[in-house]
C-alpha cells in the first residue's frame, strides 16, 4: 500500500444500547471517506478491564493510546488529529 493510500485506524469503545455510542458511530461514518480513516468498535462490557476503565465515559474515541474525545463527537479534534497526525 502506498503512503497516500494509508488510512488511520481509530478505536471506538462503546456499550450496546448506548444512544451516545450510536450517534458517535453515525457521525464517524459521515467523515470516514473525507478524512481517510477506519474504525473498530470495542464493546466495553465484553472486557472487565475496559468496563472499569470506561464505564461512565462511553463512547470513547481513541487513536492508538491517545483518547481524542469521549461522550460527544468533536469534528475539530478529529480533523486536527488526522490531518496533522
Amino acid at each position: 500500500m502506498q503512503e497516500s493510500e494509508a488510512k488511520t485506524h481509530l478505536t471506538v469503545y462503546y456499550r450496546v444500547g448506548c444512544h451516545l455510542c450510536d450517534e458517535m458511530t453515525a457521525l464517524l461514518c459521515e467523515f470516514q471517506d473525507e478524512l481517510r480513516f477506519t474504525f473498530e468498535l470495542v464493546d466495553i462490557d465484553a472486557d472487565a478491564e475496559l468496563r472499569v476503565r470506561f464505564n461512565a465515559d462511553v463512547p470513547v474515541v481513541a487513536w492508538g493510546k491517545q483518547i481524542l474525545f469521549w461522550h460527544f463527537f468533536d469534528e475539530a479534534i478529529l480533523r486536527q488529529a488526522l490531518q496533522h497526525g
Side-chain angles (χ1 to χ4, degrees), residues 12-30 39 41 58-59 71:
V12 180
Y13 297 98
Y14 82 106
R15 170 174 279 134
V16 173
C18 165
H19 73 281
L20 291 177
C21 300
D22 295 340
E23 290 173 15
M24 181 74 75
T25 303
L27 286 164
L28 287 169
C29 285
E30 289 182 26
F39 66 91
L41 295 173
V58 292
H71 298 295

Side-chain angles (χ1 to χ4, degrees), residues 9-67:
H9 185 75
L10 304 177
T11 303
V12 180
Y13 297 98
Y14 82 106
R15 170 174 279 134
V16 173
C18 165
H19 73 281
L20 291 177
C21 300
D22 295 340
E23 290 173 15
M24 181 74 75
T25 303
L27 286 164
L28 287 169
C29 285
E30 289 182 26
F31 288 88
Q32 264 190 299
D33 289 339
E34 177 189 348
L35 297 178
R36 299 178 40 76
F37 67 91
T38 60
F39 66 91
E40 167 188 14
L41 295 173
V42 176
D43 182 357
I44 67 162
D45 291 323
D47 181 312
E49 227 175 274
L50 291 176
R51 186 171 46 251
V52 169
R53 183 174 174 199
F54 295 126
N55 187 50
D57 293 327
V58 292
V60 175
V61 176
W63 180 19
K65 294 185 180 194
Q66 177 186 4
I67 292 177

